[in-house]
Amino acid sequence: MAASSAAQAVNRAVQKLFIGNIPWTVGRRELREYFSQYGHVTFANVLFDKVSGMSKGYGFIQYSNREGYSNATGKDSHFLEGGQLIVEQTGGGGGGGGQFDRASGRRGFTNKVDQFDLQNVMNKS
Amino acid sequence: MKSAELPINENVFNSLITGHSKAKDMESAAGILDIMRNAQLEPSSDTYTALLCGYAENGDIANINKYIEDAEKRATYLGDKDLLDVMFTLAINGHNEHTQALMTKMRKETGFNQDAYNAVLSLVNEGQDDVAYQLMQAMTRPTRPDGTVAPVGFFFLRQLVKNERPVEKLMGIANDMQARKLNEYALSKVTECTLQLGKLEHARACLVEMKRQGLPMRTHYFWPILAAYGQREDGDNVTATLKLMVDMECAPTSETFTDYVLPFLSAVQPLDLLTDMQAIGCQTAQVVNALVMHLLYQNKITEAADLVDKHPVRAQSMRIVRPLAAAYIRSGDLDSCLRLLSHMCEHTAENRERRLKSDHAGQFILDYVQQKKGDGLDVLVTAMAEKNLKISSATAEQVHVMLKGNVPGTVAQVMDGMVSSQVELSPEEEQFSSFITHPREMNVEDLESHLIELKAKNMNVRGVMRHLLIQHCRLKNKERALEIKKELDLEGFRYSVGMYAVLMDLAVSTKDLPLALQYKGQMDMDATDFIIDSHKIINLGGLMLENDKMSDAMQLLVEHSEKRGDAPIKEALSGNAWRLLNVQAMRGDVQGTQALLELLISRGYVQPSNMLMGCPIKAHLVNNDVAGALTTFEEYVKTYKFTPWKNELFRKFIELEDSDSLQKVMDLSSSIHGEMNVLFELAFAFLETGRVKQAKKIVETPGLRAKMDRLENLCEQALKDDKFTVIENIVTITKDLFDIDRDTMYYHLLRSYRKQGDWQKALGVWTTMQEESVTPSDRTLRYLAAQLRESGQPVPFTVADEQPPPQPRRAARPAAATVQAPPSKLLELVKLRDLQGAVDHKKGLEAEGKTLDNKEYSNLIELMLEEEKLKDALALTTEMLQQGTHPYQRVLVFLLSRMHLAGDVDGLQQLVQLMPEALQSRVLIHKHLNVAYVHSGRAEELISQIEDKVKKESPDIYFNGFLFLLKKHPEYLPRVEALANAGHGNLQATLWGHYLMTEQYESADSLAKEHPLVLAHVRVAPICKEALETNNEKMLLNVLERVKGVDRVSSAILLSYLVSLQTRNGDLTGGLQTVMERSKAAGIKPSDMRTGPLSMLKRALEANSQPVPFQVPRARSSNRRNQDSSSSSDSSDSDSDSDSKKKSQPLHS
């Protein structure tokens, strides 16, 4: 059963999301409920300050499959109880480069190429 | 003022207006406008604002309106901020009735919101909540991306709470904001602020109001209140709050108790607390679970178990098992521990719908083993078995893994008896478990030797054999596995289903389909609810396909998925699935491949991915059906947002010169990955197909920024695939691009040549770089040198430092260099400072025909020097030089310093003969030699020699060390001056330095006048050191005065030393002046100066609680390293006198 645990761990990391700017009213259960609309959530938490008892305003969710993850990251913006959530990929060193733009379009190269003419390139001149 | 000839400007008039207003003399105030105009001064908006504010104080709205119009007429522009000032004045003077009128006059131009924001905060501070509220509503509301308006006024509410408004007022405004649809979350925001600011009474009232409005109540809303009361040890209010939670139908959870109640109420007895909580209506289960955990944290297992015995609630086992294991390890109270554990396994509060029970007992064992290894494990598991606790087979295996197969026989037997197929590690447990390791970590050798041992003792070997069988199956040792199986068969061993599964997998991996099917049959016969790993099934399916049994394979996959049910697959199956699909794809069976892919996806084996969906496309291409491939590609892009087989399609269409299809693949891919990324891949595809010109056109596309990391990735990829020409082409086409690190590109090219073993081409790179005037980095040179040496070629350049550099964080270093040699015996002896032992060991090695490596030599020489064995160190160094190597530069310089101090001219001259020229200049041997002359009292001889050489115009004249010579023997000054006049620039600079150090400024200046280049050649470091030693600030200032503007490096060094000196002398003002002003005058930024003095000053300033108006730049490690190694080896009485030295000074411009 442990044969592919390393790969699983990688998969999990890939399907785990950092959620920021969470309103104080939102707890673990509310966060899970909200993100469940995009797919099966296996894990959700919101971090609390044990001394003050207040929410730290961020947390994590993890999907059991790629689909939920893609659905959630594919959406432009997430609003929950008056706050616009920050949704970011976790682990794996943050992806970097142009890796992440399929999911959100937020990372990677954002500026468009001025002019690109394939025909011109193909022309053997 | 006029008589004092002070300028009377607008500000003066504005102040006059304000003054008159304060004196309630508005007539005179308004009269100022005319006076200004008479004086040819046009009243500005500030003037009008001053006047308007004057009227505002008196609430004179008529005049306010009049003068606003007046200003408009005269084209004096009153901004929103001005009007806000007027409105603010009205409000704080109690004329609220007019504020609305002013608000209508505001234009709400850019920046209005910010000004209004500040005004709102100030108004609230002044108690003008209503005006503030009005103004807040007048602010422009931001819209969200989806077009709806965003809620506003959070800052206003916060300010109200901060200013201690009564709770009724707060809720009144919040409710009003909600009613006006300004902010539907107003009340919740007020509550948040009261919680954050610790206004607990308010917070409770707000929560009640939220509940009244039908907002959901959540447990965590009460945590800040509980925590605050708890920290004040206010038990009554804690209880009251818990009661409130119960009343508001938001009963406290066990988490509430463990985190926010119990830590603060440690004095209360658990049972009393439980009674209290029950009295106010808390759920017993939540309190008991929390108390159990709380007691376990304090190692009170007995009390915890007693509590559970008395109140047998459902245990939140998953949370409890870890603290229990920890408490057991600390206290050793087995009896109570098992009482609690049995309860947890029996009465667990987890999801009842699960088919299998969670393996809490197993998790407990794993936690125990992780900390205690096998220690006491036999007692524990035996006791657990007696209590009839069950564990999963995964746990049992895991224990073997963690103990590396050294599981005592009894433990293994007992555990085997405990295993039940009704128990499994729950997904959550697995998620948090750190124990799951790869089975390969279990050591087969250990198991085999254990088996022999057991056999010799005639003990039960079944357990070990069973494990060995599994291990050999996993390692695909078919022969040995079947051997063991035969032995087990003879003993009449009853195989578990799991073992058949492993055997089947072995048969599959050795491509033995009949045998695999045989084991599968046995497995199916035997099985009750056992479910085999999905990857084994997929692999079997692949083997069936290879044997042309397509329909069997499909049926197998369907059957397995049905048996498995809806349980989520936790394995990564993509690789297995790809191999299966690939079998069919390679046959060109498009439909078959697609059918299999769909089956795998729909049955939940895999998620769509580029890798898998590439298979049907590959099948198309195998059939040479490019149109079909493109159609399928398009379908996948649109349905799944994946671009499978993209690069292959690129290449295919480039080869076919089908630009329409190519364009289509590009457009589709761009929609997913963005155009930039796709263009890079396209360029790479052109390169791979040998179309360099086209690739070049792409990278030169305007707007396409060449990303170094992308280029490096491409190189890396090409290198991996041995596509050497591709690398060459990448380097070529990026030649003229902006912002490319050419050195790195060439480095990759060198790697490619090294991989091909072509040293001639590699050497060609070096030449090319020089032609392109690209400075090779040390890394590049080292790399090239290493290759040349490997090929037995001479190295035509010197490599800066033969030691491996500190590893850059993400550099790709050649694999060979990372291999660590085992620590040598010699190095150990050196470490123990056993010189004699080390020397003997060396002799022993040499007798065996072995030689020392560079590191061993260097360390040995260093030890000799430290032990004052100069002769031996010199002999050993000579030995190395004769072999064509040399000790680490650091050690070599150490040796030379010792020699010059000892005045060992002859020894140094010997070394000069042996050293290659480049090394000579790197270690400044001639400086050491000349200084040695001085130390040995042979200065006269040195001077005469050099005079002689100058006369003969000999090429090897070295003036290094002359500053020291002059310091020791000022009497030689005329002779040195004569030499300098003969036109030796370096000596002139030395001379200049000597003049400065001996305060002969006139001589210095006339020398500089005669030879202007002197100033650029001067090495200031020795002068600085002298100044520091003699505490001579003036010397530094004098030098600085002369070199600033000529040499930035020197200026920066001088300033740094000046700061050091001033700080050391406690002259912080002077130090600060040097950093802030003097440096500016010399054109040096503080960031160019040395870190050490700057941080020294910074610390001194901070110690005196003075502000630090500059930033200390981050130390550059590489420069610091050079700096330290050279300066530490410099003996203090010699000067450093070389150009190479100067380059190593830290100047970052």
Side-chain angles (χ1 to χ4, degrees):
Chain A
M1 58 136 285
S4 53
S5 60
Q8 281 174 43
V10 170
N11 268 354
R12 276 195 209 116
V14 168
Q15 277 145 219
K16 193 168 182 182
L17 290 170
F18 166 86
I19 314 294
N21 204 25
I22 303 176
W24 76 279
T25 50
V26 174
R28 179 188 310 160
R29 186 177 304 167
E30 291 75 39
L31 194 71
R32 180 191 282 264
E33 266 171 29
Y34 173 78
F35 280 99
S36 290
Q37 62 179 303
Y38 302 107
H40 179 241
V41 174
T42 52
F43 172 78
N45 75 342
V46 173
L47 279 89
F48 282 83
D49 183 331
K50 289 274 158 64
V51 178
S52 75
M54 288 299 287
S55 164
K56 290 185 177 179
Y58 66 89
F60 297 91
I61 56 160
Q62 185 178 304
Y63 284 105
S64 65
N65 55 43
R66 184 81 199 169
E67 193 186 347
Y69 172 86
S70 314
N71 289 343
T73 49
K75 198 164 179 282
D76 281 344
S77 49
H78 294 271
F79 286 98
L80 181 57
E81 307 203 356
Q84 177 166 13
L85 303 179
I86 297 164
V87 176
E88 271 176 20
Q89 184 184 24
T90 63
Q99 220 39 120
F100 194 46
D101 54 357
R102 169 155 50 99
S104 68
R106 270 187 286 113
R107 262 180 230 168
F109 308 110
T110 47
N111 50 342
K112 288 279 288 177
V113 177
D114 292 345
Q115 18 171 298
F116 180 74
D117 182 358
L118 185 69
Q119 291 294 340
N120 177 29
V121 170
M122 295 289 283
N123 269 338
K124 284 196 245 163
S125 54
Chain B
M1 281 175 82
K2 251 186 175 160
S3 58
E5 291 191 5
L6 282 173
I8 304 212
N9 58 17
E10 186 203 316
N11 290 337
V12 178
F13 285 113
N14 295 352
S15 305
L16 270 175
I17 292 179
T18 310
H20 283 303
S21 306
K22 287 261 167 337
K24 303 270 180 218
D25 180 3
M26 289 315 295
E27 213 171 307
S28 308
I32 300 285
L33 292 186
D34 292 330
I35 299 177
M36 283 175 78
R37 294 200 178 97
N38 287 339
Q40 308 291 318
L41 258 176
E42 189 51 38
S44 71
S45 61
D46 287 345
T47 319
Y48 274 100
T49 308
L51 182 62
L52 289 169
C53 285
Y55 285 119
E57 272 175 48
N58 303 312
D60 184 351
I61 192 74
N63 267 315
I64 291 176
N65 285 331
K66 180 180 151 201
Y67 280 100
I68 290 178
E69 267 175 45
D70 185 51
E72 245 168 55
K73 247 184 271 164
R74 293 174 186 276
T76 303
Y77 179 76
L78 290 179
D80 287 340
K81 189 167 186 318
D82 302 323
L83 296 178
L84 280 169
D85 283 348
V86 180
M87 182 180 124
F88 181 76
T89 317
L90 275 171
I92 61 170
N93 286 290
H95 308 295
N96 290 1
E97 67 277 15
H98 303 309
T99 50
Q100 191 63 41
L102 257 139
M103 238 177 277
T104 55
K105 293 191 190 297
M106 293 179 197
R107 296 183 182 80
K108 299 193 185 174
E109 58 226 323
T110 323
F112 170 72
N113 264 20
Q114 190 53 48
D115 292 331
Y117 178 96
N118 290 328
V120 167
L121 296 183
S122 307
L123 283 167
V124 172
N125 286 342
E126 296 290 336
Q128 299 298 330
D129 301 350
D130 296 339
V131 184
Y133 188 28
Q134 276 173 16
L135 182 57
M136 193 270 298
Q137 292 177 58
M139 288 167 68
T140 331
R141 282 183 80 169
T143 46
R144 285 173 169 165
D146 61 359
T148 56
V149 283
V152 290
F154 287 121
F155 74 101
F156 171 57
L157 292 168
R158 191 179 175 79
Q159 191 75 352
L160 287 173
V161 179
K162 258 192 183 165
N163 276 278
E164 309 279 353
R165 295 294 181 267
V167 71
E168 297 76 25
K169 170 112 190 180
L170 293 172
M171 288 195 286
I173 290 182
N175 287 337
D176 190 66
M177 280 171 76
Q178 287 178 184
R180 288 171 189 265
K181 303 236 178 301
L182 288 168
N183 189 333
E184 55 181 308
Y185 303 102
L187 181 57
S188 135
K189 181 67 190 182
V190 170
T191 314
E192 182 187 10
C193 296
T194 56
L195 287 171
Q196 271 175 349
L197 299 167
K199 308 205 182 300
L200 305 182
E201 287 308 313
H202 282 24
R204 269 153 67 162
C206 287
L207 287 170
V208 172
E209 175 67 14
M210 282 172 74
K211 169 89 179 164
R212 196 189 65 75
Q213 293 190 12
L215 295 173
M217 276 298 109
R218 291 163 192 165
T219 338
H220 71 260
Y221 292 180
F222 296 88
W223 291 351
I225 307 180
L226 288 170
Y229 283 133
Q231 277 152 23
R232 294 177 203 166
E233 296 185 3
D234 183 349
D236 291 346
N237 263 318
V238 170
T239 315
T241 309
L242 291 169
K243 175 89 170 54
L244 182 67
M245 291 174 76
V246 174
D247 292 346
M248 290 172 74
E249 290 157 20
C250 186
T253 54
S254 76
E255 194 180 1
T256 307
F257 287 109
T258 41
D259 289 352
Y260 304 103
V261 177
L262 297 176
F264 306 115
L265 297 182
S266 46
V268 184
Q269 283 302 310
L271 283 176
D272 295 346
L273 197 106
L274 178 60
T275 320
D276 289 352
M277 294 300 116
Q278 282 170 327
I280 59 169
C282 293
Q283 289 170 15
T284 311
Q286 302 292 348
V287 187
V288 169
N289 270 305
L291 280 170
V292 166
M293 256 180 283
H294 190 64
L295 289 167
L296 289 178
Y297 287 136
Q298 303 169 338
N299 297 335
K300 296 177 180 165
I301 309 186
T302 319
E303 286 186 49
D306 289 348
L307 187 66
V308 172
D309 279 350
K310 217 171 192 173
H311 303 278
V313 296
R314 283 193 181 164
Q316 292 170 352
S317 313
M318 225 163 65
R319 293 181 63 203
I320 294 177
V321 69
R322 285 247 154 119
L324 177 60
Y328 170 61
I329 289 167
R330 286 192 298 256
S331 72
D333 184 351
L334 183 57
D335 184 46
S336 308
C337 173
L338 290 183
R339 251 197 304 152
L340 194 49
L341 192 59
S342 307
H343 179 87
M344 281 163 50
C345 295
E346 285 303 305
H347 308 277
T348 179
E350 277 144 26
N351 196 346
R352 302 262 105 194
E353 290 157 21
R354 285 169 51 93
R355 225 155 24 94
L356 301 174
K357 278 190 191 167
S358 286
D359 186 6
H360 299 304
Q363 187 66 43
F364 176 82
I365 294 180
L366 292 180
D367 275 314
Y368 180 86
V369 172
Q370 189 187 33
Q371 292 203 30
K372 300 285 282 184
K373 302 288 171 219
D375 203 9
L377 188 59
D378 49 345
V379 181
L380 180 63
V381 291
T382 313
M384 284 175 76
E386 277 169 15
K387 288 262 180 184
N388 205 19
L389 290 169
K390 295 291 174 201
I391 60 174
S392 67
S393 59
T395 300
E397 270 187 40
Q398 194 58 40
V399 171
H400 282 277
V401 172
M402 288 166 71
L403 296 179
K404 306 231 161 68
N406 294 323
V407 180
T410 46
V411 172
Q413 245 172 357
V414 175
M415 278 201 310
D416 281 350
M418 290 169 77
V419 169
S420 155
S421 61
Q422 299 298 312
V423 186
E424 66 165 8
L425 274 180
S426 75
E428 290 86 355
E429 276 169 345
E430 195 200 326
Q431 176 161 349
F432 295 111
S433 162
S434 45
F435 305 126
I436 311 296
T437 44
H438 204 282
R440 262 188 298 238
E441 281 179 26
M442 210 199 285
N443 194 331
V444 180
E445 282 74 30
D446 283 355
L447 281 175
E448 288 280 11
S449 56
H450 192 50
L451 176 67
I452 294 167
E453 199 184 310
L454 288 179
K455 274 187 179 163
K457 290 182 187 163
N458 219 357
M459 288 167 78
N460 187 346
V461 293
R462 279 190 180 190
V464 183
M465 298 261 290
R466 183 180 150 272
H467 257 288
L468 263 178
L469 178 58
I470 293 174
Q471 282 314 303
H472 282 297
C473 284
R474 291 216 165 119
L475 296 171
K476 314 294 178 216
N477 298 335
K478 189 176 180 186
E479 214 167 293
R480 175 70 182 140
L482 293 182
E483 225 174 86
I484 295 171
K485 177 162 189 299
K486 209 175 271 172
E487 254 181 86
L488 284 169
D489 283 344
L490 286 176
E491 286 197 23
F493 183 82
R494 225 184 125 261
Y495 295 93
S496 69
V497 205
M499 296 189 69
Y500 280 124
V502 177
L503 283 165
M504 184 202 89
D505 201 37
L506 176 70
V508 170
S509 58
T510 49
K511 307 274 180 205
D512 188 343
L513 185 58
L515 189 62
L517 290 176
Q518 183 199 324
Y519 288 135
K520 172 147 194 318
Q522 270 160 328
M523 200 174 77
D524 290 341
M525 250 164 29
D526 228 313
T528 43
D529 57 357
F530 173 81
I531 294 169
I532 186 171
D533 293 335
S534 300
H535 72 263
K536 294 186 180 129
I537 289 295
I538 296 184
N539 291 350
L540 177 59
L543 185 60
M544 288 174 168
L545 287 181
E546 282 174 32
N547 290 281
D548 282 319
K549 295 190 188 306
M550 173 83 175
S551 55
D552 286 1
M554 301 273 281
Q555 198 190 338
L556 176 76
L557 291 172
V558 172
E559 267 173 18
H560 176 68
S561 82
E562 272 164 5
K563 188 160 187 194
R564 209 171 40 81
D566 292 329
I569 291 195
K570 293 181 287 167
E571 305 168 59
L573 299 172
S574 304
N576 310 75
W578 181 84
R579 280 192 291 277
L580 177 134
L581 291 172
N582 195 45
V583 174
Q584 219 53 20
M586 288 306 280
R587 292 189 176 137
D589 176 5
V590 176
Q591 278 180 343
T593 314
Q594 271 176 331
L596 283 164
L597 177 63
E598 264 160 42
L599 179 68
L600 286 169
I601 293 177
S602 65
R603 292 280 169 169
Y605 286 100
V606 288
Q607 299 292 324
S609 72
N610 276 329
M611 180 170 81
L612 297 177
M613 289 184 303
C615 292
I617 296 178
K618 184 178 190 178
H620 277 298
L621 291 183
V622 169
N623 296 337
N624 267 328
D625 176 9
V626 282
L630 186 56
T631 316
T632 309
F633 178 76
E634 184 171 4
E635 187 191 316
Y636 286 156
V637 171
K638 294 196 167 146
T639 328
Y640 295 107
K641 302 229 172 304
F642 281 102
T643 53
W645 218 242
K646 171 183 71 228
N647 294 337
E648 289 77 2
L649 287 178
F650 274 157
R651 281 202 298 273
K652 196 84 201 166
F653 290 126
I654 289 171
E655 273 160 12
L656 294 171
E657 302 196 350
D658 177 352
S659 61
D660 288 341
S661 302
L662 189 57
Q663 183 74 51
K664 190 152 194 190
V665 179
M666 251 200 73
D667 291 344
L668 288 166
S669 305
S670 298
S671 69
I672 306 295
H673 303 287
E675 201 174 4
M676 290 278 192
N677 292 311
V678 175
L679 281 180
F680 263 105
E681 272 157 9
L682 183 63
F684 193 59
F686 272 117
L687 284 178
E688 281 182 310
T689 48
R691 288 157 171 80
V692 182
K693 209 178 262 176
Q694 283 88 338
K696 189 167 158 63
K697 276 190 197 167
I698 295 177
V699 297
E700 285 167 355
T701 305
L704 180 73
R705 272 176 313 154
K707 284 268 182 181
M708 243 353 252
D709 52 346
R710 292 304 303 260
L711 289 173
E712 284 202 73
N713 280 346
L714 294 184
C715 290
E716 208 70 56
Q717 203 179 321
L719 190 66
K720 209 178 79 199
D721 301 341
D722 289 348
K723 293 177 180 162
F724 301 121
T725 26
V726 172
I727 299 187
E728 273 176 16
N729 288 332
I730 293 177
V731 175
T732 316
I733 64 170
T734 52
K735 189 169 153 186
D736 300 321
L737 289 190
F738 172 71
D739 206 19
I740 292 284
D741 180 355
R742 294 303 292 164
D743 172 66
T744 303
M745 298 307 296
Y746 282 118
Y747 173 68
H748 287 291
L749 192 55
L750 282 175
R751 288 175 66 200
S752 128
Y753 291 144
R754 188 164 182 179
K755 204 170 170 187
Q756 298 171 66
D758 191 337
W759 66 266
Q760 278 123 330
K761 277 191 180 170
L763 199 54
V765 171
W766 184 60
T767 324
T768 317
M769 288 180 83
Q770 284 171 324
E771 280 163 11
E772 276 189 40
S773 30
V774 176
T775 318
S777 66
D778 288 350
R779 175 177 78 163
T780 306
L781 287 181
R782 255 196 311 277
Y783 194 83
L784 177 57
Q787 184 185 1
L788 289 172
R789 259 181 241 122
E790 269 169 23
S791 326
Q793 299 301 321
V795 181
F797 49 84
T798 50
V799 183
D801 190 350
E802 302 278 341
Q803 287 160 269
Q807 263 301 267
R809 245 170 295 155
R810 36 173 237 109
R813 209 154 60 124
T818 56
V819 177
Q820 287 282 321
S824 85
K825 175 87 195 293
L826 191 109
L827 287 179
E828 269 167 34
L829 289 168
V830 170
K831 210 168 167 190
L832 295 169
R833 313 194 65 80
D834 178 2
L835 184 54
Q836 195 51 50
V839 171
D840 290 345
H841 185 70
K842 175 174 179 281
K843 279 181 192 147
L845 285 177
E846 281 162 354
E848 291 171 35
K850 291 179 189 159
T851 50
L852 304 189
D853 66 17
N854 211 327
K855 183 173 181 184
E856 290 168 328
Y857 262 122
S858 300
N859 280 291
L860 185 52
I861 293 171
E862 192 173 19
L863 179 63
M864 287 171 166
L865 289 169
E866 280 164 1
E867 301 283 325
E868 308 282 339
K869 306 275 187 214
L870 191 53
K871 279 249 150 52
D872 295 339
L874 177 60
L876 215 52
T877 307
T878 311
E879 190 177 307
M880 284 184 84
L881 288 167
Q882 279 162 347
Q883 292 168 19
T885 58
H886 62 82
Y888 292 167
Q889 195 168 322
R890 171 174 59 81
V891 175
L892 191 51
V893 171
F894 186 22
L895 170 74
L896 297 179
S897 311
R898 282 295 156 93
M899 289 172 76
H900 83 226
L901 279 176
D904 186 359
V905 174
D906 300 333
L908 283 164
Q909 269 168 343
Q910 257 180 46
L911 286 181
V912 172
Q913 300 302 320
L914 288 168
M915 276 190 198
E917 228 167 89
L919 184 61
Q920 287 182 16
S921 72
R922 260 201 335 269
V923 297
L924 308 176
I925 186 142
H926 292 286
K927 180 193 88 178
H928 294 287
L929 182 55
N930 290 351
V931 172
Y933 272 109
V934 178
H935 272 295
S936 57
R938 292 161 68 180
E940 173 64 41
E941 194 185 327
L942 173 66
I943 288 268
S944 315
Q945 259 183 32
I946 289 193
E947 281 168 347
D948 202 35
K949 280 183 182 174
V950 169
K951 225 176 273 166
K952 290 185 193 153
E953 295 184 2
S954 156
D956 56 336
I957 309 172
Y958 299 95
F959 298 111
N960 311 60
F962 266 49
L963 200 58
F964 179 64
L965 175 96
L966 286 173
K967 189 177 168 190
K968 287 276 163 189
H969 302 283
E971 68 272 19
Y972 291 126
L973 183 59
R975 288 169 73 179
V976 174
E977 279 171 340
L979 285 170
N981 280 333
H984 291 271
N986 280 341
L987 189 57
Q988 288 159 2
T990 305
L991 198 54
W992 189 88
H994 176 72
Y995 288 145
L996 260 293
M997 278 163 76
T998 50
E999 304 189 346
Q1000 306 179 46
Y1001 300 120
E1002 270 176 38
S1003 310
D1005 291 341
S1006 67
L1007 177 67
K1009 207 169 171 191
E1010 206 174 322
H1011 306 285
L1013 279 177
V1014 160
L1015 290 180
H1017 281 276
V1018 165
R1019 255 80 50 188
V1020 294
I1023 310 181
C1024 289
K1025 277 181 196 149
E1026 173 78 17
L1028 201 62
E1029 270 162 34
T1030 54
N1031 197 2
N1032 193 339
E1033 207 174 300
K1034 217 176 81 198
M1035 188 191 289
L1036 290 175
L1037 286 171
N1038 271 316
V1039 182
L1040 179 63
E1041 190 55 40
R1042 286 165 174 79
V1043 300
K1044 77 175 176 195
V1046 180
D1047 191 332
R1048 287 170 44 80
V1049 187
S1050 299
S1051 307
I1053 299 171
L1054 283 162
L1055 285 163
S1056 305
Y1057 271 95
L1058 192 52
V1059 172
S1060 282
L1061 197 56
Q1062 286 168 325
T1063 309
R1064 209 178 62 184
N1065 293 337
D1067 178 11
L1068 300 189
T1069 326
L1072 204 52
Q1073 197 196 353
T1074 306
V1075 177
M1076 303 308 295
E1077 290 160 29
R1078 209 167 261 132
S1079 62
K1080 210 170 175 185
I1084 301 294
K1085 286 192 286 267
S1087 57
D1088 292 334
M1089 293 166 62
R1090 290 188 184 187
T1091 344
L1094 288 181
S1095 27
M1096 202 166 116
L1097 176 62
K1098 182 174 170 224
R1099 278 197 301 275
L1101 285 170
E1102 281 166 353
N1104 282 303
S1105 336
Q1106 289 184 34
V1108 182
F1110 58 88
Q1111 283 196 331
V1112 180
R1114 287 220 325 258
R1116 320 262 150 140
S1117 50
S1118 60
N1119 276 340
R1120 286 240 64 82
R1121 208 170 129 265
N1122 292 341
Q1123 189 66 22
D1124 290 348
S1125 61
S1126 49
S1127 63
S1128 64
S1129 54
D1130 262 352
S1131 53
S1132 57
D1133 59 346
S1134 70
D1135 51 290
S1136 46
D1137 209 2
S1138 113
D1139 280 318
S1140 69
K1141 189 93 198 189
K1142 190 162 174 178
K1143 279 183 199 136
S1144 75
Q1145 303 291 4
L1147 181 94
H1148 333 291
S1149 51

